[in-house]
């Protein structure tokens, strides 16, 4: 396996710049997930690593070797696509063995590596079947097996679970993560699904408009988003955002929202009076309470079995609250909400950057 270094990489299509100064270091054996909305550049970056898309500026190195000028087949990477890309005229055994045959690998070695890979992915009983005879999950396992059998330096996954139903996606992401732990393979995985990113990554890279917004371990990104974009993108249900400005200073400072509601600043936080802000709280950091500073009426109650979310219409828009599991509130019921101030995130209204002045966390 090998590390991957991306240094000041730009990408333009004619006059249009789509990637802007990308810097990323992926350690040997690390599982890194590129996550972001459609069109943010994550798949383009993966294709540049693979050599399927030329870069405009910068450098990409694999295992310490510059690969800018190398063809894809010379980079010793394996890619798993969203569409599986299996050969329909070959059975599972033929699909797994194809790349080894191209390399003129000895027949005995092909048989051994194919059998080993089939065993790892529970495909041994399917070796004589053709792609049309397989389920979506089985096809995806064959696609991964075709990559594994080559023993490449780096695995690249381009939204491999997008074509699967919700239940199978959950099962397959567990399989991919377990496979990584078994193989210790350097892996870069692209997805627009932030749940996949949170559950699979050693580190996640949140991308937006051709730039990296934040890099970090999943819980680090969730607990301390660097920008308002990251705060809104990571987390389900979405984070609650209140816009407004700071009133007063010192111990008397408080946040006045556009809807006229007030929030105290967390202890130790100091923000200059008059500064426009976006304050964000995740649903688990709001509670329905008798004397909370935020007020509204119940709109929708979602009982999910293991947890319940209450959506409250306030002067600042709809707010999501993680509530007691068996809570029953009728639509239109008035409620007050109490925030966990130590979990409040503050962002500059103009730049969207996190405000850290005096932040004790």
């Amino acid at each position: 396996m090998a590390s991957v270094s991306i240094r000041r990489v730009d990408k333009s299509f004619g006059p249009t710049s789509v990637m802007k100064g990308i810097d990323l270091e992926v350690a040997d054996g690390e599982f890194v997930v590129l996550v972001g909305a459609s069109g943010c550049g994550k798949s383009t970056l993966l294709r540049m690593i693979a050599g399927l898309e030329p870069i405009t500026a910068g450098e990409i190195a694999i295992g310490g070797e510059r690969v800018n000028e190398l063809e894809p087949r010379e980079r010793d990477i394996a890619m798993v696509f969203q569409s599986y890309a299996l050969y329909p005229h070959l059975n599972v055994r033929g699909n797994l063995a194809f790349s080894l045959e191209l390399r003129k690998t000895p027949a005995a070695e092909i048989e051994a590596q194919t059998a080993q890979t089939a065993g790892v992915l529970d495909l041994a009983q399917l070796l004589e079947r053709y792609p049309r005879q397989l389920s979506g999950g089985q096809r995806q396992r064959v696609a991964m097996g075709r990559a594994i059998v080559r023993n490449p330096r780096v695995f690249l996954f381009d939204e491999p679970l997008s074509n699967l139903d919700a239940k199978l996606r959950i099962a397959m992401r567990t399989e991919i993560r377990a496979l990584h732990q078994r193989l210790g393979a350097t892996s870069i995985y692209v997805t627009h699904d932030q749940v996949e990113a949170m559950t699979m990554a050693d580190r996640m890279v949140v991308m937006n408009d051709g730039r990296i917004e934040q890099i970090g371990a999943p819980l680090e990104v969730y607990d301390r988003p660097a920008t308002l974009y990251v705060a809104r993108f990571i987390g389900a249900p979405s984070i609650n955002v209140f816009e407004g400005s700071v009133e007063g200073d010192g111990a008397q400072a408080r946040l006045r929202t556009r809807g006229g509601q007030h929030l105290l600043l967390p202890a130790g936080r100091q923000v200059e009076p008059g500064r426009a802000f976006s304050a964000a709280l995740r649903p688990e950091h709001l509670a329905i309470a008798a004397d909370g500073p935020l007020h509204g009426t119940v709109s929708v109650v979602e009982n999910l079995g293991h947890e319940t979310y209450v959506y409250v219409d306030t002067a600042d828009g709809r707010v999501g609250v993680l509530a007691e599991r068996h809570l029953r509130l009728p639509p239109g019921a008035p409620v007050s909400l109490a925030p966990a101030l130590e979990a409040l995130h503050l962002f500059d209204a103009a730049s969207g950057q996190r405000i850290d002045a005096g932040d004790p966390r």
Side-chain angles (χ1 to χ4, degrees), residues 22-202:
I22 299 295
D23 282 304
L24 176 63
E25 296 289 331
V26 180
D28 187 356
E30 191 175 23
F31 196 113
V32 167
V33 177
L34 309 180
V35 62
S38 296
C40 72
K42 55 190 184 297
S43 288
T44 300
L45 179 57
L46 197 75
R47 289 174 61 82
M48 290 192 293
I49 297 169
L52 300 174
E53 195 72 59
I55 68 174
T56 303
E59 180 181 84
I60 296 176
I62 298 176
E65 175 191 8
R66 176 185 166 101
V67 297
N68 289 32
E69 293 78 23
L70 296 184
E71 294 295 323
R73 66 179 179 274
E74 299 172 311
R75 300 189 182 198
D76 196 14
I77 55 93
M79 196 160 181
V80 180
F81 296 92
Q82 176 181 348
S83 60
Y84 315 137
L86 302 179
Y87 298 109
H89 64 289
L90 297 178
N91 59 17
V92 171
R93 186 189 304 278
N95 269 281
L96 294 178
F98 186 78
S99 63
L100 298 178
E101 291 171 352
L102 281 181
R103 294 182 175 188
K104 303 189 183 305
T105 305
E109 188 176 337
I110 291 176
E111 180 61 31
Q113 289 184 233
T114 299
Q116 181 184 19
T117 301
V120 167
L121 291 170
D122 194 24
L123 294 171
Q125 73 279 13
L126 304 175
L127 287 173
E128 304 309 320
R129 293 191 188 181
Y130 288 84
R132 64 180 180 276
Q133 299 171 310
L134 303 176
S135 68
Q138 290 168 339
R139 291 180 193 177
Q140 193 55 269
R141 291 212 305 274
V142 176
M144 288 191 293
R146 195 172 56 185
I148 292 167
V149 74
R150 291 177 43 208
N151 194 28
R153 292 194 294 176
V154 178
F155 289 96
L156 305 178
F157 296 87
D158 191 7
E159 304 207 44
L161 308 185
S162 295
N163 290 336
L164 305 180
D165 62 51
K167 184 176 181 180
L168 192 51
R169 268 203 312 272
I170 294 171
M172 285 302 299
R173 76 182 186 220
T174 303
E175 281 193 37
I176 292 174
R177 185 61 194 174
L179 184 64
H180 170 76
Q181 291 169 349
R182 190 181 309 135
L183 299 177
T186 305
S187 302
I188 304 175
Y189 186 105
V190 161
T191 182
H192 64 273
D193 186 334
Q194 52 95 16
V195 175
E196 279 184 30
M198 287 289 296
T199 55
M200 297 175 72
D202 293 329

Side-chain angles (χ1 to χ4, degrees), residues 247 254-257 260-264 293-294 316 339:
E247 290 184 341
R254 60 181 183 172
L255 309 174
R256 178 180 174 85
T257 70
Q261 303 185 98
H262 290 89
L263 291 167
L264 294 176
L294 304 175
D316 290 284

Side-chain angles (χ1 to χ4, degrees), residues 209-230:
D209 192 28
R211 293 186 174 90
I212 292 177
E213 293 268 331
Q214 187 171 1
I215 303 172
L219 287 181
E220 175 188 335
V221 174
Y222 184 87
D223 289 337
R224 195 177 175 81
T227 66
L228 183 58
Y229 174 85
V230 174

Side-chain angles (χ1 to χ4, degrees), residues 250 265-271 356-360:
L265 273 172
R269 300 289 287 275
Q270 296 179 358
V271 183
D356 274 328
D359 185 352

